Amino acid sequence: MAEGADLTSINSAEYRHTPLHQAVYHRRPDMVRTLIELCNAKDVLNQVLSMTSNPCGRGTTGTPLDIAKGSGSEAIVSMLQNASNGGKEAA
């Protein structure tokens, strides 16, 4: 990060997963939490949360939240909903 990592970069044209998408897909809650914090600090959180991708069978739109819902990870779903609400608890 200190050397300028791009948190909006994608892994390929086919999958279009950012680091956050990958952490969500692989159900890594600690990594998801850290990436949310880093994206927020770099002011790209809303952009990354809205980026669509290949959901690889876990959802339809491929946003990080869609993939998390498709994977059944309630903890990650909650983190992403909280992040998308500006840190306020989802209703």
Side-chain angles (χ1 to χ4, degrees):
M1 285 302 304
E3 295 182 19
D6 182 359
L7 296 167
T8 65
S9 67
I10 57 173
N11 59 350
S12 70
E14 179 182 358
Y15 293 102
R16 302 177 317 280
H17 286 180
T18 66
L20 181 60
H21 286 79
Q22 283 291 97
V24 169
Y25 181 83
H26 292 288
R27 298 181 187 121
R28 303 284 193 256
D30 291 337
M31 190 176 293
V32 169
R33 184 176 301 106
T34 298
L35 286 164
I36 287 171
E37 292 170 4
L38 292 170
C39 285
N40 194 41
K42 292 275 193 176
D43 201 26
V44 295
L45 181 58
N46 289 333
Q47 177 185 352
V48 172
L49 289 173
S50 67
M51 290 174 75
T52 60
S53 71
N54 180 335
C56 302
R58 295 185 184 167
T60 57
T61 64
T63 63
L65 181 58
D66 185 48
I67 293 170
K69 286 179 178 178
S71 74
S73 177
E74 292 302 318
I76 293 175
V77 168
S78 180
M79 275 190 267
L80 293 170
Q81 287 174 329
N82 190 35
S84 68
N85 289 328
K88 298 178 183 103
E89 290 299 318

